Amino acid sequence: VTTMVFFAFVDPLELRDITFPGVEIGREAGYTIAFFLFWMATAGASLFTWILLRPASRYNRPLGD
């Protein structure tokens, strides 16, 4: 959904001209690259959430004598 909303307002060719004007990337390649970047950002956010939700009892044990 994020990709659809983003590219409803942003054209990949205009974004390419702003960021990498010397690189020849077509509209389809721009959509493909952006899809995978959004997918990786979502996967990273999910991984970070998983790390934060692990129980603290596994790591905060009393030290042995």
Side-chain angles (χ1 to χ4, degrees), residues 22-59:
V23 179
E24 280 296 321
I25 296 176
R27 189 169 271 129
E28 280 187 19
Y31 285 128
T32 303
I33 292 167
F35 172 78
F36 284 112
L37 288 176
F38 279 116
W39 187 85
M40 287 183 351
T42 303
S46 297
L47 175 65
F48 187 61
T49 301
W50 176 76
I51 290 170
L52 291 177
L53 289 177
R54 292 185 299 172
S57 61
R58 291 175 59 188
Y59 307 103

Side-chain angles (χ1 to χ4, degrees), residues 13-30:
L13 296 181
E14 290 182 22
L15 188 60
R16 178 209 55 196
D17 292 341
I18 293 170
T19 55
F20 301 106
V23 179
E24 280 296 321
I25 296 176
R27 189 169 271 129
E28 280 187 19

